[in-house]
Amino acid sequence: MSQEFHITSLVVHAAPHAVAEINSSISALNGTEIHAVTDEGKFVVTVEGDTQRAILDSVEAINALEGVLNSSLIYHQVDPVEKKSEEHHEH
């Protein structure tokens, strides 16, 4: 059986007064990681998920946060993930 793994990176621009709150809100979202934050309100964020819909839901949630001015999608990759069958056993 095959499934997908999605990873997306974003630059999020927020109002400087809202940086701390947005940092907490993004960190609380499932599958998100903040890699950098500036005092001016720029965030580098990655979002990981099993479906494109999960990624889009997270991006929409970030864009809806009070104080987020915009976000720019920088990168999106989809990789197939093969699940090992129960018949395949390693010795």
Side-chain angles (χ1 to χ4, degrees), residues 68-85:
V68 169
L69 304 174
N70 66 36
S71 67
S72 298
L73 178 70
I74 303 301
Y75 180 79
H76 182 88
Q77 181 171 331
V78 180
D79 288 325
V81 176
E82 294 294 327
K83 290 186 175 182
K84 290 183 181 178
S85 73

Side-chain angles (χ1 to χ4, degrees), residues 8 10 26-27 29-36 44-48:
T8 296
L10 308 167
I26 291 174
S27 295
L29 291 171
N30 189 32
T32 61
E33 186 174 346
I34 298 172
H35 299 275
V44 176
V45 179
T46 54
V47 182
E48 298 177 356

